[in-house]
Amino acid sequence: MHFELSDDLRAFRDLARDFAAKHIAPHARKWDESKWIPDDVVRQMGEIGLLGVTIPEEYGGAGQGLLAMTVVVEEIARHCGATALLVAAHAGLCCGHLRLAANDTQKRKYLPSLATGKMVGSWCLSEPHCGTDAAALTTRAEKASGGWVLNGQKMWVTNGKRAGVFVVMARTKNEPGARSISAFIVERGAKGLEIGEPEDKMGMRGSDTVPLSLEDVRVGDDALVGNLDEGYIDALKVLDRGRVTIGSLSVGLGRGCLEEAVKYAAERKSFGVPLHMHQAIQLKLADMETQVEAARLLVRQAACTFDAGRPDKQAASIAKLFASEGASRVAWESIQIHGGAGYTKDICVERLARDTKLCEIGEGSSEVQRMLIARAEYQKRSA
Ligand SMILES: Cc1cc2nc3c(=O)[nH]c(=O)nc-3n(C[C@H](O)[C@H](O)[C@H](O)COP(=O)(O)OP(=O)(O)OC[C@H]3O[C@@H](n4cnc5c(N)ncnc54)[C@H](O)[C@@H]3O)c2cc1C
């Protein structure tokens, strides 16, 4: 593993860093309040290539790997978790599933628009009664002449309010469990597809999260993504990569909170000296810096295993767990260093801190990551 980013990756990092500083940071508070990231910002991200990083070049993307995705998402999350979540759900989940399992015709139809931001994508696995235990989903797809009819409820659909295309997991066999679920493409505007009102969330507020209702939604045979009854298996592969991406989102949030604390501790004085001259503050800053650096290394190490074609799922879980829980700790310490100012919305750390909590819940909660890490350890030992 090389610790230096390649020239290509540095270029992506700088592009994302520059865009985030100029076009995201100044507005992130407003988007948090209005619960919406403007469409033109999403389109701009697509136009400069930030939404199609991992989409193959033949379908209009940059053809980069998961490491590039982590670099981009970290830079955006540094200023706004919600925008980073929009990118992660669009590029990592929706485009990631299509890249993995769609056929060439489906890829040609959807990926170029998704790569350039002309269209935003959503990925629908969770349901009102099941998130962690997603294999218990009850949305059904019944075979009909020339296609399928979908019925059910989906929950927590990121980007659902603006998405042009939804990858929907539905049960295709009348039996419980993971091997009777398939993935389908449902387009916005499909008859019977109802998009609910966005949740009023604690954090990630600029990112819309909606419930979906599917009532006799008809799709063609060509809407099936991947093999019949293997949609959940593909979804798990999408989530393995997604965990690395959420790890990088956490690194970005933690880094934002750290950088703001370092700045404030240099400007703010107490007892005649800048805050950072007090040892108690230095200890906090040192722990925060150590956390962010270590999390970034774990995230990049995990990403490299996927890019090398030897995906290490345990490394992905370790990275997500360490980065997300650490980001929350860093955020609260940053608020502490900011004192009373940190408790107000004038300081972006308050928003970033609220954003961090989602990273411990979404795409497999911390409890799930711990289960997976321990299980993988025993599997390795018995192999
Ligand atoms: C902002 C946001 C965006 C989201 N975006 C999407 C999206 O785009 N697409 C999508 O499909 N889903 C999305 N989700 C759903 C998300 O993945 C789920 O919320 C998550 O998987 C947890 O599921 P749950 O909320 O149903 O909690 P539950 O599964 O009900 O779990 C509740 C608690 O119990 C714990 N728990 C559950 N089972 C066990 C166990 N066996 N052992 C120990 N502890 C356990 C969990 O860790 C959690 O702490 C999103 C969620 C949020 C909040």
Side-chain angles (χ1 to χ4, degrees):
M1 180 182 169
H2 299 287
F3 291 94
E4 286 290 309
L5 293 179
S6 67
D7 289 348
D8 267 4
L9 290 180
R10 272 209 300 275
F12 269 108
R13 182 198 62 192
D14 294 346
L15 183 71
R17 185 173 286 180
D18 189 53
F19 184 85
K22 284 197 188 121
H23 302 286
I24 296 176
H27 312 292
R29 177 178 176 185
K30 197 169 60 203
W31 302 341
D32 183 69
E33 283 164 0
S34 66
K35 296 191 276 171
W36 188 250
I37 298 160
D39 289 337
D40 60 317
V41 176
V42 180
R43 261 196 306 275
Q44 269 178 283
M45 283 196 291
E47 279 160 13
I48 64 168
L50 297 180
L51 299 182
V53 174
T54 54
I55 292 178
E57 283 171 305
E58 59 184 308
Y59 302 113
Q64 295 287 319
L66 189 52
L67 184 58
M69 179 86 154
T70 67
V71 168
V72 166
V73 168
E74 177 188 327
E75 293 303 326
I76 296 173
R78 154 64 184 95
H79 296 288
C80 179
T83 311
L85 184 62
L86 182 156
V87 174
H90 165 88
L93 298 180
C94 178
C95 299
H97 199 130
L98 295 176
R99 193 175 51 82
L100 172 77
N103 60 36
D104 186 57
T105 310
Q106 292 167 330
K107 285 178 180 169
R108 285 196 189 288
K109 184 166 177 193
Y110 296 105
L111 288 182
S113 304
L114 291 164
T116 51
K118 288 195 184 112
M119 189 194 266
V120 173
S122 282
W123 191 76
C124 317
L125 178 64
S126 304
E127 298 193 351
H129 69 287
C130 67
T132 301
D133 184 15
L137 64 83
T138 55
T139 294
R140 292 193 55 81
E142 310 270 0
K143 192 73 191 83
S145 144
W148 297 85
V149 180
L150 276 66
N151 278 287
Q153 307 288 325
K154 290 290 172 182
M155 185 79 188
W156 309 116
V157 179
T158 300
N159 300 337
K161 203 77 189 159
R162 68 174 88 228
V165 65
F166 302 81
V167 175
V168 177
M169 266 50 73
R171 196 164 294 284
T172 33
K173 260 201 296 204
N174 203 10
E175 47 187 71
R179 293 195 175 268
S180 51
I181 294 168
S182 306
F184 295 90
I185 295 170
V186 177
E187 293 183 1
R188 182 179 206 85
K191 196 159 170 265
L193 173 69
E194 207 159 295
I195 298 162
E197 280 308 301
E199 301 294 335
D200 192 6
K201 305 191 299 295
M202 162 190 177
M204 301 286 191
R205 288 172 62 81
S207 157
D208 60 296
T209 317
V210 301
L212 286 190
S213 161
L214 300 115
E215 204 181 319
D216 290 334
V217 174
R218 292 189 74 90
V219 294
D221 281 325
D222 57 357
L224 175 69
V225 182
N227 293 330
L228 187 64
D229 299 330
E230 290 181 13
Y232 190 74
I233 311 303
D234 289 337
L236 292 183
K237 290 183 191 153
V238 172
L239 283 174
D240 288 336
R241 294 172 66 92
R243 279 166 192 155
V244 182
T245 308
I246 296 296
S248 66
L249 205 165
S250 309
V251 173
L253 291 171
R255 188 181 118 208
C257 294
L258 168 66
E259 287 176 0
E260 295 298 323
V262 168
K263 201 161 57 167
Y264 191 76
E267 290 161 6
R268 177 80 177 173
K269 286 189 174 162
S270 80
F271 300 94
V273 292
L275 285 180
H276 74 84
M277 300 292 283
H278 301 300
Q279 194 179 39
I281 301 294
Q282 289 170 3
L283 298 181
K284 284 186 197 300
L285 291 172
D287 286 348
M288 292 158 73
E289 178 84 41
T290 305
Q291 165 64 43
V292 172
E293 280 292 313
R296 183 184 293 112
L297 285 175
L298 284 174
V299 164
R300 291 190 178 171
Q301 173 183 266
C304 286
T305 71
F306 285 80
D307 290 347
R310 293 186 301 275
D312 185 336
K313 296 195 278 186
Q314 189 191 37
S317 289
I318 289 173
K320 180 184 188 281
L321 177 67
F322 187 84
S324 61
E325 293 194 346
S328 287
R329 283 196 302 276
V330 168
W332 286 104
E333 282 294 48
S334 182
I335 289 177
Q336 192 68 18
I337 290 171
H338 281 85
Y343 204 60
T344 71
K345 287 183 184 290
D346 295 335
I347 305 289
C348 70
V349 170
E350 177 271 345
R351 172 173 46 78
L352 298 177
R354 285 187 281 109
D355 290 347
T356 59
K357 190 63 193 169
L358 183 268
C359 300
E360 297 175 59
I361 297 170
E363 301 196 29
S365 62
S366 288
E367 289 78 9
V368 169
Q369 304 314 321
R370 286 192 166 84
M371 276 162 26
L372 294 173
I373 293 163
R375 203 180 291 163
E377 197 55 34
Y378 283 102
Q379 276 164 358
K380 272 195 290 193
R381 278 158 203 269
S382 64

